[in-house]
Amino acid sequence: MESVYSKRIRAGKRRTYFFDVRATRGNDYYLTITESRKKFNEDGYDRHKIFLYKEDFNKFIKALGESIDYVKTELMPDFDFDAYNHDTIPEGEAVAASENGNGVDAIIDHATEPEPEVKPIAPVDPIIPTTSSASTEEVDKW
């Protein structure tokens, strides 16, 4: 099936998660969630995959959110989960490819600059010029 969207989440040195939206032949969509772990003493990766269909999206999100909230609030309320908010991958480090492409593992190259953050611009009141004979004369000369 055709992949129409993909998101990669790097989790530690040996684990990567892939979220791939795929299209069916009937123009329907589903999600595959793949955990890819680098094998410890061997070359290659172990992959585990979940297929999630549109009719289960809301139930899945609800159960996942409740489970995460339970761990954060009941089991580990003093743990700093924000300490692990790192989305960058060290340059030159290998990353396991999900099965949405050619199946070749990639090397991340940070030679290109990341896209700058887009910030909204506050609206500005338009300035309406006042007409004067001097400004009209300047325009007429052109």
Side-chain angles (χ1 to χ4, degrees):
M1 299 302 141
E2 180 186 350
S3 180
V4 295
Y5 176 84
S6 187
K7 177 74 176 173
R8 181 185 69 216
I9 297 175
R10 185 63 196 250
K13 293 185 182 237
R14 296 180 33 215
R15 193 173 60 251
T16 304
Y17 297 103
F18 296 94
F19 294 81
D20 298 313
V21 176
R22 298 179 183 269
T24 65
R25 287 183 216 135
N27 252 0
D28 207 359
Y29 301 96
Y30 64 98
L31 175 70
T32 60
I33 302 171
T34 306
E35 177 201 30
S36 181
R37 289 186 301 167
K38 185 172 173 71
K39 293 181 180 178
F40 186 68
N41 291 327
E42 304 173 34
D43 289 337
Y45 296 88
D46 285 325
R47 290 185 175 91
H48 306 311
K49 190 172 284 213
I50 296 173
F51 291 82
L52 189 60
Y53 301 96
K54 67 179 182 291
E55 58 270 16
D56 301 322
F57 284 179
N58 289 340
K59 292 181 275 188
F60 187 89
I61 290 171
K62 183 180 179 201
L64 179 63
E66 288 173 358
S67 300
I68 291 171
D69 287 344
Y70 179 78
V71 171
K72 285 183 166 184
T73 59
E74 300 296 323
L75 300 177
M76 303 178 77
D78 298 327
F79 187 79
D80 183 13
F81 289 94
D82 291 330
Y84 293 92
N85 288 344
H86 47 80
D87 293 334
T88 59
I89 300 169
E91 186 172 337
E93 189 166 323
V95 176
S98 75
E99 296 173 2
N100 67 348
N102 59 10
V104 177
D105 297 333
I107 301 292
I108 302 303
D109 180 11
H110 291 289
T112 59
E113 291 292 319
E115 289 187 34
E117 182 180 338
V118 178
K119 296 181 181 179
I121 299 173
V124 178
D125 292 333
I127 299 173
I128 301 172
T130 58
T131 58
S132 70
S133 60
S135 65
T136 307
E137 290 173 13
E138 285 294 320
V139 172
D140 291 340
K141 289 181 184 178
W142 289 91

